[in-house]
Amino acid sequence: MNHPLSGQTAVVTGANSGVGRSATEMLLRAGAEVTMVCRSRERGERALAEMRDAGIAGSGAGEARLTLELADLSRQDDVRGAAERIATHHPTIDILVNNAGIAQVRPVLSADGYELTFATNHIGHFLLTHLLLDRLEAGRGRIVNVSSRGHRGADLRRASLDDIARGRAWKGPLQTYADSKLANILFTFESVRRWGGRGITANAVHPGVLATDIWNKTPLVARLLIRPLTWFMDRPEVGGAAVMNLVTGSGGDGVTGSYFNVQREEKPSVQASDRILAHELWERSLEWTGSST
């Protein structure tokens, strides 16, 4: 059996379901050692047990190829703790899949004072990536940021970035989700400009319109309308394969600083290509997280 990622280490956020779960299983089958970063202990341990029972992570000593770290990405202390534990166990990280995402239906603030969707989908991943930067550099890491074609509805110019991040410019769940997904792409492109010389690659991907748990977080009326449509949506495995394409496929061939619609590279929105906006978001994100790079 071909194991192209044998000996490589991967970290996947939101790994207990949806795209993250599918990508985790595919990474394991390709031979990688995977750390799952999950918010819920119960859901994380259930997914871990199911994958081990299915033999995906091997058996016996091989079970060490799949481990679980708990962290709520909206809480910066959680992210710092998880990053410290991951770095302690892994001198190199070859693959980082920033996948975890939520769509909060109301303007709720995180424990650190940021709008919850933006805090989870962008700020938490920005911080995690920075904290693992040395390990990624050591592994000439490939970063895959799971975004969405919904980023085309975003507008990070409608108010100050601080007002958007802190929920003072709230315009509903779809706007907030789109803004966070645009932030994922801006982060991707700016990280290549700043870190590309370190041998790190980064790409963003829309994983497809998938039947995942995220639809359960939409308002009730929308949920009732969407539920029948999930029968016509792609399975999470489509998203997992889109991630793998950027690990062992196109991204594995050195492609970096690109946006993919599933497995096809395409041009993102005008704002996603705005270098001034990307620079500004990076600088604000450093302030929001107390990072320095």
Side-chain angles (χ1 to χ4, degrees):
M1 183 179 293
N2 184 29
H3 293 112
L5 300 181
S6 181
Q8 297 193 29
T9 297
V11 176
V12 182
T13 69
N16 59 277
S17 65
V19 174
R21 169 72 176 265
S22 178
T24 295
E25 293 180 357
M26 292 180 184
L27 287 163
L28 288 166
R29 290 191 176 100
E33 178 181 341
V34 183
T35 297
M36 307 165 58
V37 180
C38 302
R39 180 177 55 181
S40 164
R41 177 181 296 276
E42 178 184 2
R43 291 191 293 271
E45 290 182 346
R46 183 188 307 127
L48 184 91
E50 288 171 355
M51 284 185 272
R52 286 180 172 175
D53 289 347
I56 299 171
S59 58
E63 289 184 353
R65 289 182 47 231
L66 181 62
T67 56
L68 173 65
E69 281 292 347
L70 298 175
D72 180 339
L73 288 172
S74 76
R75 294 176 171 268
Q76 293 186 28
D77 283 349
D78 272 22
V79 175
R80 291 188 179 93
E84 182 178 359
R85 293 188 295 272
I86 291 168
T88 297
H89 291 101
H90 301 293
T92 63
I93 295 174
D94 304 276
I95 300 156
L96 172 61
V97 182
N98 288 321
N99 160 77
I102 64 169
Q104 189 67 29
V105 300
R106 298 179 186 84
V108 177
L109 295 183
S110 72
D112 302 304
Y114 301 98
E115 190 281 318
L116 198 62
T117 298
F118 199 83
T120 302
N121 298 2
H122 168 63
I123 297 175
H125 285 124
F126 181 90
L127 178 58
L128 179 67
T129 307
H130 274 72
L131 293 170
L132 296 178
L133 182 59
D134 289 346
R135 299 299 190 266
L136 287 163
E137 183 175 7
R140 298 184 64 81
R142 285 96 77 201
I143 301 169
V144 179
N145 293 318
V146 177
S147 181
S148 168
R149 72 182 184 190
H151 83 276
R152 298 187 184 280
D155 183 6
L156 291 178
R157 290 295 193 191
R158 73 180 189 278
S160 74
L161 289 175
D162 203 57
D163 280 347
I164 291 171
R166 295 184 183 277
R168 295 191 291 259
W170 171 266
K171 288 188 67 175
L174 294 179
Q175 182 69 63
T176 302
Y177 182 77
D179 290 344
S180 72
K181 296 290 103 178
L182 171 58
N184 294 155
I185 302 176
L186 291 166
F187 170 47
T188 300
F189 292 171
E190 188 68 10
S191 68
V192 171
R193 287 189 281 269
R194 297 190 183 220
W195 298 339
R198 302 187 181 203
I200 296 169
T201 67
N203 293 288
V205 61
H206 164 62
V209 180
L210 310 174
T212 67
D213 289 345
I214 197 167
W215 301 113
N216 296 330
K217 310 292 176 57
T218 58
L220 177 59
V221 173
R223 194 158 65 244
L224 292 174
L225 292 172
I226 290 170
R227 186 171 295 161
L229 299 179
T230 60
W231 289 97
F232 303 98
M233 295 178 182
D234 289 323
R235 298 293 99 189
E237 290 75 17
V238 171
V243 170
M244 291 299 291
N245 177 56
L246 295 173
V247 172
T248 61
S250 299
D253 293 332
V255 172
T256 189
S258 295
Y259 168 73
F260 282 74
N261 184 343
V262 192
Q263 297 194 29
R264 184 183 72 254
E265 186 176 355
E266 70 176 32
K267 189 174 180 179
S269 72
V270 172
Q271 280 198 15
S273 302
D274 185 335
R275 289 191 173 210
I276 295 174
L277 181 59
H279 175 84
E280 184 182 350
L281 177 65
W282 189 285
E283 294 301 316
R284 296 291 80 71
S285 299
L286 291 176
E287 294 174 5
W288 297 332
T289 60
S291 303
S292 59
T293 303

